[in-house]
Amino acid sequence: MANTNTAGPRGGTLRLVLGDQLSDNLSALADLDPDRDIVLMAEVRDEATYVRHHKQKVALTFAAMRSFALRLEARGITVRYIRIDDPANTHSIVGEMHRVLDDQPGEAIVMTECGEWRLAQALAGFAAVVEGRGIAVDIRQDDRFICSHDRFRRWASGKKQLTMEFFYREMRRETGILLDDGKPVGGQWNYDAENRRKLTKGIRPPERLRTPPDAVALEAIADVARLFPDHFGDLDAFGWPTTAEQAEVVLTDFLANILPGFGDWQDAMAHGQPWMWHGLISTSINLGLLDPLDVCRRAEAEYRSGRAPLNAVEGFIRQIIGWREFVRGIYWLKMPEYGARNFLDADRVLPWFFWSGETDMTCVADVVATSRDNAYAHHIQRLMVTGNLMMLLGVHPDAVDDWYMTVYADAYEWVEMPNTRGMATFADGGIMGTKPYAASGTYIDRMSDYCSGCRYDVKARTGEGACPFNRLYWGFLERNRPRLRDNHRLAMPYRTLDGFGEERRAALLAEAEATRTMLGAVPQS
């Protein structure tokens, strides 16, 4: 696709479409006049490098944007498309907005609210400038989400604790999904207790449908390899949908062939098995190629028709209209202060093996490898392997945010930060969850086959050969005793710790400190 700087009619409306707004039903396009209006889309370095995004994420975004621009042009819509290698590219969204206005003055600007705080602030500043020049700016609600910012604020108002489960029930009531006569199907709202099976011998994850890159995607991949050679990750295994039609194929395959097993094994992990029973549609939903509510209704139809069990369908739907909507609500309710939270005063650097994968911890090496190769790891790998270890090590939450934003193709700050600063590291002090998800190696052993082939002994609590998760766990509790001792959900482990006696607790803390240093989690300079 060549650079497209089409000079449309003067005096119309300029409509901005961002890289994660690739939806036919985008509010910014709702009343578009193809005879007068211009759509602006721009690949800019500001967005590709504010963190050094995984090469696959940059290629995915560029390819999806280029394909969407072609889709609009096929409908007779004028698109001003700025390629990353355009010599005149200002490399910022605001810069490209000013440039198009300088070239083609218009009467108004329409955009859909963006997903990240920093860009929203930049666009608000731009709006103030151009409104001063007499150009109206209409920033519209992103109604691809079920819960608006105002709706979430109303729900959160007056609550001491924002609990996802109760929010999720509200979303179920509002959408009518998995309800019969206003009551939850099956008599329960949540079937998570049925969704914690370890992958047992003889059970193999299903083969997964991947999307071979089309011509547009191949060109984007080549551009990224050429222009962003130092970014994290490999491009060889790229297999993400970049068009709505490709995303539909992946979704259809998931609903028909994968969803029935999702419930039982959604928390299971296995060495060399990156996909398991997960949907692989988060990239498509977050880009706008799939409509999340439609996805949920189609999953419900699989249950209603008897093709998928309730625990699988409910667990899958909860990820979308529960967690996805909830974390977005938290992000916009609490920013920008949320991005500075560090409740546990974590102050360590991120060890290099999170980038290289060079570690004898089999679970960590496997998750880093699949993240590098695929720009993907599923939610338990993210939370209970990498996130858990970062928290036990005391890695500063800024470094944690940066890592997750860098390595995953579905990562956008609105969804990643509450999951990492909230769920993974408890840096938010309990806004997202009621306790830290700290765990020893026992959890990983229970939910995976990682420990059977690891050089470390998951059964040993202490000593050089003991699993580092074990060596860090009790020290983490002791180190954070002033902040966590009164958390009622940690009463049992603190009773156990208290029973060890003062001398043994001091020894456990000393071993944890030595382990942090040994693993490279040294204090920030």
Side-chain angles (χ1 to χ4, degrees), residues 427-504:
D428 71 358
I431 293 173
M432 276 289 296
T434 55
K435 70 166 187 174
Y437 279 82
S440 67
T442 302
Y443 176 88
I444 296 170
D445 189 33
R446 184 168 69 247
M447 296 306 301
S448 76
D449 63 359
Y450 286 137
C451 300
S452 61
C454 186
R455 91 159 179 89
Y456 292 109
D457 183 0
V458 73
K459 305 299 183 186
R461 286 184 174 179
T462 60
E464 183 180 347
C467 171
F469 283 85
N470 296 349
R471 292 154 65 186
L472 291 164
Y473 175 72
W474 295 109
F476 167 81
L477 291 177
E478 185 65 20
R479 181 173 75 248
N480 291 290
R481 178 183 288 267
R483 305 172 188 88
L484 299 177
R485 183 67 180 86
D486 294 332
N487 186 308
H488 70 280
R489 295 197 63 192
L490 295 176
M492 184 176 293
Y494 271 110
R495 281 198 298 270
T496 301
L497 188 59
D498 291 342
F500 291 162
E502 185 175 344
E503 184 176 340
R504 187 178 176 193

Side-chain angles (χ1 to χ4, degrees), residues 32 137 160 248 265:
L32 182 144
V137 179
K160 293 182 179 179
E248 173 62 28
W265 292 294

Side-chain angles (χ1 to χ4, degrees), residues 264-331:
D264 289 349
W265 292 294
Q266 66 173 282
D267 286 2
M269 299 176 285
H271 191 273
Q273 297 288 344
W275 317 122
M276 302 298 279
W277 280 261
H278 290 267
L280 307 188
I281 59 172
S282 57
T283 55
S284 296
I285 291 177
N286 287 352
L287 283 169
L289 304 179
L290 291 174
D291 179 83
L293 187 56
D294 175 66
V295 169
C296 290
R297 294 201 188 284
R298 291 170 62 181
E300 179 186 23
E302 295 300 302
Y303 165 72
R304 299 284 187 185
S305 67
R307 293 189 292 267
L310 182 56
N311 70 310
V313 172
E314 185 278 319
F316 174 73
I317 287 172
R318 182 164 16 99
Q319 296 294 319
I320 298 176
I321 68 171
W323 274 118
R324 184 173 186 268
E325 297 281 336
F326 184 68
V327 298
R328 176 180 182 257
I330 291 289
Y331 176 82

